[in-house]
Amino acid sequence: MQTKTKLFSFLLALVLLISFEPLLADAAPSFTTPAYTVYIGENDYLYIIDNATGSSRVLPTAVNDILSVTDTSVYCLANGGSLYNVYLDGSGSSSIAVMPTQEQLDEYSVKPSFRISDEGELFYITPEGEISIASRFVINAVHDQDTLYYAELTQAGIVFMAYPLNALTGSASVPPVAREIGPALMMPVSLFASDNNLIALDGKGNAVIYNLETLMARLVILPEDTVSVVIINDIIISYRMDPDTGSFHYSKSMDSAMPTPTPTPTATPAATPYITPPPTAAPPSDVGVGYTPVKFGQNGSLVRNMQNRLRRLGYPLTSVDGVFGQNTLRCLHLFQEQSGYTESNTASANLLDLMYSSRASRFNLHKARRTGQRGERVVMLQERLIELFYTQVGQPDGIYGSKTAAAVSAFQKSAGLKVTGNADTDTMKALYASNAPANPTATPTPTSGPTQAPTPTPTGAPTGGPTDDPSTTPTETPTATPEETSPPPPTDSPPPTINIWPLKLGDIGDEVKSLNNALIKLTLLSNDFINTTTFSAETKIAVEAYQTSVSPSNVTGQVLKDLYDEILIEANKV
């Protein structure tokens, strides 16, 4: 029994590592309140449906994402980046900021109502404080107005549960009881509750839709890059996220298992222009999210917790030591940039709430960079170029200027890629590959050692005195002229070799393919990765799982030659 418990705990830890693959940052493409349904629709316009009458209105301005919805307003970002307040009563809208600061974005963003700890414990945040859900093995969660839905790992597998929020009151004498919805048909990377349906998305375009009345489930195949799914008036609406702009893009599809949809009312643009005086409605209050900000230079358990979380999310943290030093700061900056925050030396309460949630962004080593951008990720790009002798980049200053563009262009030419000077995804993958080409024109030529001056042979002291007979001419001994030797022809210096060890996140090649296949045989990696040549985040998680089973104190996620041979040998025994 104890062995089964240990195995279950190990599987839970592995599932939690895999399941924290975030799809959304700090915004959403749709919101539902008791009175209204708000979503990004065709042409990326903002649609507002009155749930009571079914009538709809549209904001004829392309919307990037929706930050939050209150009883009176919708706070959203236009595609140009402006922060808007749209009034739900149809009276118009107002511009809050043309270039909003991070503090303004935090102020008007939805405040989370639950969080999942690294150990899988689910907390629902109420005005009275945090109330712990009975289950401590939760993978993912979502809620609507009155119910919290979550995926729970049990001995029998993953099941979906529903927990009534209206029973969470301080006066409740009997704790509410969760009811089971049904077994999960896949690993739920994200959950969405919409129009009396619970929708589970696996991150590869497969969505399972549970009807919360009949508890019947059906599978719907959506585009692979789908990051969010909602159902509005029996129409499935899916969204993908533009990796460059971070904006949502809309598409809709019909499912044959669904009833005939009610025709969507024709959206009528508001007659008045959407530039009116500043909002009078009070913005959402900044309810405390229960985290204490962590600052650069700080030491202690708060730092250690943050380091553990960043490492779980795949950020290149060298050690978990409770010391907020330069390496931890780099990882924090990378997380801030990838989550849409401004890089700073402090992890704010809101940022930590995002970091510890299932929406937290895993590290993407191959995220594209382009001229004009700044930050820690540009520093890493510059450092990698210097490693490969593309010294045109100059000093790594975190500014993607003309020098960095020139170095990237030189690398693209060496790698046989389209030369643009911008580090797109293909360029980043090639740059961090184990066989990334070094700069052939910057091969250091070995300098010859200093030529040692010949040691002069001392002339012997004369043994005879002066010749008495001055007429006698001494025989002149000819000085031997040393034979002139030509210097050896210079040899071509071989290009520097890039050692593939250790294999690490982002590497590609046959060694990685053999490693992935071995991890599959050891049941540490999904069959989806058979014969893949990329060292993905999933590969790193599988390596960490193997290292944990062998030596918990030496978990790095990287593979040295000895470990590579060991994993292949173990796989051959299976």
Side-chain angles (χ1 to χ4, degrees):
M1 181 63 185
Q2 188 175 6
T3 303
K4 287 185 176 181
T5 302
K6 288 183 177 179
L7 178 60
F8 177 70
S9 299
F10 172 75
L11 289 175
L12 171 65
L14 189 58
V15 165
L16 287 174
L17 281 171
I18 297 173
S19 67
F20 282 122
E21 178 77 33
L23 296 177
L24 303 180
D26 228 353
S30 68
F31 277 90
T32 300
T33 71
Y36 295 96
T37 298
V38 182
Y39 68 99
I40 298 175
E42 295 188 39
N43 300 316
D44 293 336
Y45 289 173
L46 182 71
Y47 286 76
I48 302 173
I49 298 177
D50 188 315
N51 295 337
T53 65
S55 61
S56 68
R57 293 180 291 107
V58 62
L59 172 67
T61 300
V63 172
N64 193 40
D65 53 45
I66 305 170
L67 299 182
S68 64
V69 179
T70 68
D71 293 337
T72 58
S73 302
V74 180
Y75 297 96
C76 59
L77 288 176
N79 273 4
S82 298
L83 176 60
Y84 276 87
N85 171 21
V86 181
Y87 299 109
L88 288 170
D89 61 5
S91 60
S93 73
S94 61
S95 174
I96 298 174
V98 176
M99 298 182 65
T101 64
Q102 188 59 53
E103 289 73 17
Q104 288 174 313
L105 294 178
D106 290 341
E107 179 182 0
Y108 289 96
S109 294
V110 64
K111 302 305 182 291
S113 298
F114 67 86
R115 65 180 177 88
I116 303 173
S117 71
D118 285 350
E119 293 74 28
E121 187 174 20
L122 177 65
F123 294 95
Y124 183 77
I125 304 172
T126 69
E128 294 80 22
E130 292 181 350
I131 297 182
S132 176
I133 302 303
S135 172
R136 298 181 182 275
F137 304 106
V138 174
I139 298 169
N140 225 312
V142 69
H143 69 83
D144 56 20
Q145 284 75 42
D146 53 14
T147 307
L148 177 61
Y149 305 98
Y150 59 93
E152 179 181 29
L153 181 63
T154 69
Q155 297 283 0
I158 302 172
V159 297
F160 289 110
M161 307 293 292
Y163 194 83
L165 296 180
N166 52 12
L168 291 177
T169 62
S171 59
S173 57
V174 179
V177 178
R179 63 183 176 90
E180 183 174 328
I181 296 173
L185 303 182
M186 62 186 182
M187 171 63 70
V189 172
S190 293
L191 294 179
F192 308 93
S194 170
D195 210 14
N196 202 36
N197 291 280
L198 178 65
I199 310 165
L201 190 64
D202 70 349
K204 298 179 181 177
N206 302 311
V208 176
I209 301 176
Y210 293 83
N211 186 297
L212 296 174
E213 289 183 350
T214 65
L215 298 185
M216 298 293 291
R218 62 186 182 279
L219 177 67
V220 177
I221 307 301
L222 299 170
E224 187 172 345
D225 57 353
T226 298
V227 298
S228 180
V229 185
V230 296
I231 298 175
I232 299 174
N233 292 335
D234 296 326
I235 299 176
I236 300 176
I237 298 179
S238 60
Y239 296 88
R240 65 177 182 84
M241 183 176 282
D242 188 314
D244 293 325
T245 65
S247 60
F248 295 100
H249 292 287
Y250 156 102
S251 63
K252 63 182 179 181
S253 59
M254 294 299 301
D255 179 21
S256 58
M258 289 187 146
T260 304
T262 303
T264 305
T266 303
T268 304
T272 56
Y274 278 85
I275 302 297
T276 56
T280 55
S285 60
D286 190 5
V287 179
V289 293
Y291 292 101
T292 302
V294 183
K295 299 181 179 181
F296 176 65
Q298 190 172 331
N299 300 335
S301 59
L302 294 178
V303 177
R304 187 175 293 105
N305 291 340
M306 184 178 72
Q307 290 173 327
N308 271 315
R309 182 60 176 150
L310 288 168
R311 173 172 279 187
R312 281 176 177 266
L313 292 170
Y315 289 84
L317 195 70
T318 55
S319 63
V320 177
D321 55 8
V323 178
F324 197 154
Q326 288 294 338
N327 179 245
T328 302
L329 182 63
R330 159 168 283 191
C331 294
L332 174 64
H333 284 171
L334 291 171
F335 180 80
Q336 288 170 328
E337 183 270 340
Q338 196 157 304
S339 303
Y341 281 69
T342 302
E343 291 182 14
S344 72
N345 292 3
T346 300
S348 67
N350 281 323
L351 181 77
L352 289 172
D353 187 80
L354 173 63
M355 185 186 296
Y356 290 117
S357 76
S358 60
R359 299 173 293 120
S361 297
R362 289 190 65 86
F363 179 57
N364 178 8
L365 181 66
H366 302 138
K367 186 176 180 181
R369 296 285 86 188
R370 60 181 183 273
T371 54
Q373 294 183 325
R374 297 171 176 245
E376 197 69 54
R377 194 176 290 272
V378 177
V379 174
M380 289 183 63
L381 168 66
Q382 293 169 331
E383 290 174 345
R384 179 59 173 161
L385 288 166
I386 292 172
E387 285 178 12
L388 297 174
F389 303 104
Y390 293 92
T391 53
Q392 303 97 316
V393 72
Q395 292 299 315
D397 57 4
I399 302 173
Y400 201 133
S402 58
K403 292 182 179 179
T404 302
V408 170
S409 295
F411 172 79
Q412 289 170 327
K413 183 177 180 180
S414 299
L417 299 170
K418 182 179 180 181
V419 178
T420 64
N422 287 321
D424 57 13
T425 302
D426 289 340
T427 299
M428 295 295 283
K429 287 181 178 179
L431 188 68
Y432 284 99
S434 58
N435 59 349
N439 187 356
T441 64
T443 303
T445 304
T447 56
S448 303
T451 304
Q452 187 172 0
T455 305
T457 304
T459 305
T463 54
T467 305
D468 292 335
D469 186 0
S471 62
T472 306
T473 304
T475 304
E476 186 175 7
T477 305
T479 305
T481 303
E483 183 178 350
E484 186 175 356
T485 57
S486 301
T491 58
D492 291 334
S493 175
T497 58
I498 306 299
N499 193 346
I500 68 169
W501 308 109
L503 295 177
K504 57 189 179 302
L505 188 68
D507 286 350
I508 60 174
D510 291 337
E511 293 82 5
V512 177
K513 180 173 74 171
S514 299
L515 174 66
N516 283 334
N517 290 342
L519 292 169
I520 291 170
K521 291 188 70 175
L522 295 173
T523 68
L524 294 173
L525 190 62
S526 163
N527 287 331
D528 294 339
F529 295 90
I530 191 166
N531 292 330
T532 56
T533 59
T534 301
F535 198 116
S536 63
E538 289 80 1
T539 304
K540 183 174 183 291
I541 291 170
V543 170
E544 289 175 348
Y546 182 85
Q547 292 173 324
T548 300
S549 65
V550 175
S551 176
S553 62
N554 190 29
V555 177
T556 63
Q558 296 187 358
V559 180
L560 293 167
K561 184 65 169 66
D562 290 345
L563 179 61
Y564 175 81
D565 293 337
E566 178 183 336
I567 292 176
L568 264 57
I569 291 171
E570 290 300 315
N572 287 331
K573 294 178 182 178
V574 177

